[in-house]
Amino acid sequence: MDSFSIMVDTSCDLPVNFIREHGIKKLPIIFDLDGKPHNQGYWQEISGGDFYNTLRNGGVAKTAQINPETFVEVFTEYAKQGKELLFLVLSSGLSGTYQSALIALQEVKEKYPDCKVFPIDSINASVGIGLLTDLVVRKRKEGLSAEETAKWLEEKKHSCHGLFTVDDLMYLHRGGRLSKLSAIAGSVLRVKPVLNLAPAGTLAVKDKVRGRKASLQMLTEQFKRSIKPETELETVYIAHTDCESDANLLAEMIKSAVNVKKVVVMMMGPIIGAHVGPGALVLLFEADMTRNEYETQFYGQK
C-alpha cells in the first residue's frame, strides 16, 4: 500500500498509463473554449487535435485558477481520514492556484491541526510538473513519507529545467508575455523565441532565432550546456501542441546530444496549451545545476 497519495492539477502533463499505474489523482482546472466550459484537463471532452485546430482557426481559450473552496473540500477529506497527500501545483509565477492552496490548507489546519497535506509550488508547468511527479513516485517507492518527500522536493525542483519555443508569438502577447509590436514584428520576420522557466517559475525570453529549425537547435544547445558529459539522464520529457513531427525531431536531437535512457514525447494539455498556442514545444529535464546557477553562468543574472 502506498504511504501517501499524489495529486496534481491538470496543468500537469503525464502519459495516461503512468497516471493509472501509479494512482496519480487529478484536480481539474477549468478551461473555456469559445465560450464553452470544460472541466476535464486530459481530453475527455475534446481531442487535442480539435482543440488546437480550433485555436488555429481563431478560437479563443481561457483558463481559471482553482479556488480555495475547492482545495478546502479536497484537503478536508484527507484530513478527516488521517491520510497523507502531496499536491504538486502549477507554478506560482504563472498562476494564483498555489496561493489558493495555501489559504485552504490554513483553514483546514484550524480544524484538523494534524493534517498531513503538503501543497508544493512546483515552479513548473506541463511536463515539468510531470517530471517532478515522476521523481515523487520514485521517492514514495523508497518508503519516504509525504513530509519527507516534500522537503526533498523543495530542493530538487530547482534543478528541473524547462525550455520551450513557440510557433506564433501572438499567443504570448495575449498572455501578457510579449508586446504586440514585438509579436507582430517577430511573426513577419519569422523570429522564434527560446524561453525558459526562470528560478521563480516565471517565463523569460532567453534567445531569439530565425526559423523553426534554428529554434530546435537552440533548445538542444541550451539543454546540452547544463548537463555534464558524463551524466546519464533517466528521463527527458517533451510536450508539443499538435506538432508531433517537430517533437520527434527534437527528441532525436536530444538523444544525440546527451546520454539519456528515455525520452517521453506527448501532446500538451489545454491548460498550458491555451497560453502558448499550436506549434509550441516544451523540453523538461533534470540538470546538473540549479536554475540560479544556470542564469548566473550563462546570462549573468540571478
Side-chain angles (χ1 to χ4, degrees):
M1 183 177 178
D2 293 329
S3 56
F4 61 90
S5 295
I6 302 169
M7 185 175 287
V8 298
D9 61 54
T10 49
S11 68
C12 171
D13 291 312
L14 270 171
V16 173
N17 59 346
F18 184 94
I19 292 170
R20 290 172 178 165
E21 179 182 354
H22 299 290
I24 309 300
K25 303 180 187 305
K26 302 176 295 181
L27 191 62
I29 294 176
I30 295 175
F31 71 94
D32 182 293
L33 182 61
D34 282 346
K36 180 181 178 181
H38 297 260
N39 61 8
Q40 302 293 325
Y42 284 91
W43 308 128
Q44 285 93 335
E45 299 169 304
I46 184 173
S47 72
D50 286 344
F51 176 80
Y52 290 114
N53 279 331
T54 299
L55 296 187
R56 286 189 181 97
N57 293 324
V60 176
K62 299 178 181 179
T63 61
Q65 68 186 53
I66 300 170
N67 60 44
E69 290 76 17
T70 299
F71 280 118
V72 167
E73 183 178 345
V74 172
F75 294 169
T76 298
E77 192 62 32
Y78 279 86
K80 279 182 178 179
Q81 299 179 45
K83 293 182 178 180
E84 298 186 19
L85 173 68
L86 192 150
F87 197 124
L88 289 144
V89 186
L90 174 62
S91 172
S92 63
L94 301 175
S95 166
T97 299
Y98 176 65
Q99 187 61 35
S100 293
L102 292 184
I103 293 170
L105 182 61
Q106 182 177 359
E107 180 178 332
V108 172
K109 281 194 169 183
E110 289 175 0
K111 189 173 183 179
Y112 301 96
D114 295 328
C115 172
K116 296 290 185 180
V117 173
F118 302 93
I120 301 292
D121 178 3
S122 70
I123 62 168
N124 269 284
S126 183
V127 284
I129 307 175
L131 173 59
L132 292 178
T133 304
D134 192 339
L135 297 176
V136 167
V137 166
R138 296 180 212 174
K139 286 298 172 182
R140 187 172 67 179
K141 286 181 178 179
E142 293 174 12
L144 271 67
S145 67
E147 184 173 9
E148 290 169 332
T149 304
K151 289 179 180 178
W152 174 84
L153 194 60
E154 286 293 351
E155 294 295 325
K156 184 64 177 177
K157 68 184 183 182
H158 296 288
S159 297
C160 292
H161 290 223
L163 304 171
F164 70 100
T165 188
V166 299
D167 191 48
D168 187 343
L169 294 167
M170 292 305 296
Y171 287 95
L172 290 175
H173 160 64
R174 291 170 193 156
R177 303 296 174 182
L178 201 66
S179 72
K180 186 173 184 179
L181 182 61
S182 295
I184 293 173
S187 298
V188 172
L189 296 173
R190 298 180 60 245
V191 169
K192 306 298 180 186
V194 175
L195 305 94
N196 73 359
L197 283 165
T202 55
L203 301 182
V205 178
K206 310 312 292 186
D207 292 284
K208 294 179 182 178
V209 294
R210 188 169 295 179
R212 183 66 156 187
K213 186 175 181 181
S215 69
L216 300 187
Q217 291 171 337
M218 180 59 73
L219 282 175
T220 305
E221 180 182 324
Q222 288 198 6
F223 166 73
K224 186 177 180 180
R225 68 190 185 188
S226 64
I227 305 295
K228 296 176 182 177
E230 66 273 16
T231 297
E232 180 182 56
L233 294 177
E234 184 70 30
T235 309
V236 170
Y237 285 88
I238 297 173
H240 66 90
T241 55
D242 204 25
C243 53
E244 187 174 9
S245 60
D246 284 347
N248 288 333
L249 175 58
L250 179 60
E252 292 305 314
M253 295 168 71
I254 293 303
K255 291 175 185 176
S256 298
V258 301
N259 187 8
V260 56
K261 290 183 180 179
K262 180 172 64 174
V263 178
V264 176
V265 176
M266 63 177 298
M267 184 177 285
M268 185 186 297
I271 304 305
I272 303 302
H275 300 284
V276 297
L281 287 166
V282 179
L283 171 66
L284 268 297
F285 58 95
E286 294 179 72
D288 288 318
M289 58 178 69
T290 67
R291 293 184 190 178
N292 268 325
E293 290 168 341
Y294 184 90
E295 293 290 315
T296 302
Q297 181 170 339
F298 295 109
Y299 294 100
Q301 57 191 26
K302 293 184 179 181

